[in-house]
Amino acid sequence: MNFGYSEVCLAHDTGKRHPENPDRLRAIRQALTRKHGVEYVESPPATEADVTAVHDEGYVKELREFCDSGGGNWDPDTVAVEATWDAALESAGLAKWAANSALDGEDGRATPFALGRPPGHHAVEDDAMGFCFFNNAAVAAQAVIDDDRAERVAIIDWDVHHGNGTQDIFYNDGNVFYISIHEDGLYPGTGEIEEAGEGGGNGTTLNAPLPAGAGDPEYRSVFDELIAPAVLEFDPDLVLVSAGFDAHRHDPISRMRVSTEGYGMLTAQVRELADESNAALGFVLEGGYGLDTLSDGVAMVHEVFDGMDPVVPEEEENEEVREVITELLDTHPMFE
């Protein structure tokens, strides 16, 4: 794979005890040194025009001034320093690079994966939250639409937390289909089945909130029965994966049971889906806070594109997840 990466993202220093710290990228780089066919690519940072396409201008100005003054705690969880401004623009720029590279035809072993931080999917139009300042995937999706490179973009978010920011930004927009599979009730407490979009975006939000303990069989079934048919119906030009790895069974801040091999399964499923829908495909890093599980997850994505055939679990999904699938099939506008 081609990995977008910049040392600028390491300068966003949240402190050693903060779960979203520079060691996340260092661990990923270390794990990838043992893999064949890894290429690193630098890209220009996002511009203020790029980020104000999805964020309020007043918020962007406030964040720049906050960082210029030395930063601090934006909220109890979201920490900034002076260098956070440049890192956030760089992270959004890497996501934009992934989207454009995919649309340029980079696929197979050259599939793009943006290794940026801070992450983005909690950043709403006018606020930072949940370790996120600019919504990287949203910036990328809007940029390629505004540049007439794509008419429709699907964002598949497999981070364990619901991407409330991405959902909110595109909730009334029928050109972007936001799909999230996440742990029910976990931060930020959004992402209910009933949240399906409004106005022109009616039906282009799909949430699959799963109970704690869901693992590989449950994720497989949700992808096969909900995500794949919905994306095929939407018919995107580009699929972006908001790739968090905190649903791993050993991640320190979630209770899900996805294995490292399970992330390989998800990667193979999304690659097959992009091929079937004739869509470009790119990945954007979100969460993942166990250094070993995060780095192993990213390395597993690479392994699949390097030829590995992941194991697909034979077990059936549990009854609680079957109920989620049934309710969405019965009520979501995409399945009418």
Side-chain angles (χ1 to χ4, degrees):
M1 297 186 80
N2 289 340
F3 290 93
Y5 177 80
S6 172
E7 296 285 317
V8 172
C9 293
L10 298 179
H12 169 54
D13 186 1
T14 54
K16 281 290 185 182
R17 300 188 65 182
H18 196 284
E20 203 296 288
N21 63 66
D23 286 343
R24 297 176 66 238
L25 295 188
R26 296 187 182 107
I28 292 170
R29 286 286 300 257
Q30 181 62 35
L32 291 174
T33 61
R34 301 186 291 271
K35 304 301 178 183
H36 169 76
V38 174
E39 298 288 341
Y40 290 102
V41 179
E42 293 190 14
S43 67
T47 64
E48 287 196 40
D50 290 328
V51 296
T52 55
V54 297
H55 289 290
D56 179 76
E57 290 186 11
Y59 160 65
V60 174
K61 179 176 183 291
E62 183 182 4
L63 177 62
R64 183 176 66 247
E65 292 172 349
F66 184 74
C67 295
D68 285 346
S69 68
N73 279 78
W74 183 274
D75 64 30
D77 298 318
T78 309
V79 180
V81 294
E82 184 176 356
T84 297
W85 173 256
D86 287 338
L89 288 175
E90 191 69 41
S91 191
L94 288 168
K96 185 180 173 184
W97 160 82
N100 278 300
S101 293
L103 289 165
D104 285 341
E106 299 291 339
D107 58 9
R109 284 180 166 86
T111 298
F113 194 141
L115 296 178
R117 62 174 292 275
H121 72 156
H122 293 308
V124 296
E125 181 180 3
D126 60 355
D127 204 2
M129 60 182 290
F131 315 159
C132 304
F133 295 93
F134 296 142
N135 196 305
N136 304 318
V139 168
Q142 192 63 54
V144 296
I145 290 171
D146 289 345
D147 291 343
D148 295 323
R149 303 214 63 202
E151 292 184 7
R152 292 178 302 281
V153 178
I155 300 173
I156 300 174
D157 189 337
W158 72 41
D159 190 281
V160 78
H161 303 94
H162 178 244
N164 60 299
T166 316
Q167 173 174 298
D168 288 357
I169 288 168
F170 296 118
Y171 204 62
N172 297 88
D173 187 341
N175 295 317
V176 178
F177 188 11
Y178 175 70
I179 301 162
S180 178
I181 179 171
H182 53 272
E183 182 179 331
D184 189 22
L186 201 61
Y187 179 91
T190 52
E192 299 297 328
I193 287 173
E194 296 78 12
E195 298 168 18
E198 293 180 350
N202 181 43
T204 56
T205 295
L206 191 156
N207 288 305
L210 304 187
D216 298 356
E218 288 74 33
Y219 275 66
R220 178 208 62 218
S221 295
V222 168
F223 200 100
D224 286 346
E225 297 187 46
L226 296 172
I227 295 175
V231 170
L232 288 171
E233 178 68 21
F234 181 68
D235 191 24
D237 304 298
L238 170 68
V239 174
L240 287 176
V241 180
S242 274
F245 295 87
D246 38 8
H248 195 283
R249 61 184 59 181
H250 298 308
D251 188 90
I253 62 173
S254 83
R255 300 170 295 169
M256 300 302 253
R257 300 288 300 165
V258 178
S259 69
T260 301
E261 190 87 8
Y263 283 109
M265 172 195 71
L266 287 170
T267 302
Q269 287 175 304
V270 78
R271 180 181 62 182
E272 181 179 348
L273 174 59
D275 288 345
E276 189 173 352
S277 57
N278 198 29
L281 174 63
F283 293 76
V284 177
L285 184 66
E286 296 288 358
Y289 303 103
L291 297 183
D292 290 342
T293 54
L294 168 64
S295 56
D296 287 348
V298 174
M300 176 58 73
V301 174
H302 169 72
E303 288 279 7
V304 170
F305 281 96
D306 199 39
M308 177 186 173
D309 188 14
V311 173
V312 177
E314 296 181 357
E315 302 92 337
E316 295 294 323
E317 74 284 346
N318 64 42
E319 185 57 36
E320 290 177 284
V321 171
R322 172 48 52 192
E323 291 173 1
V324 171
I325 293 171
T326 299
E327 183 175 351
L328 279 162
L329 289 172
D330 288 344
T331 62
H332 194 277
M334 193 60 74
F335 303 111
E336 291 179 351

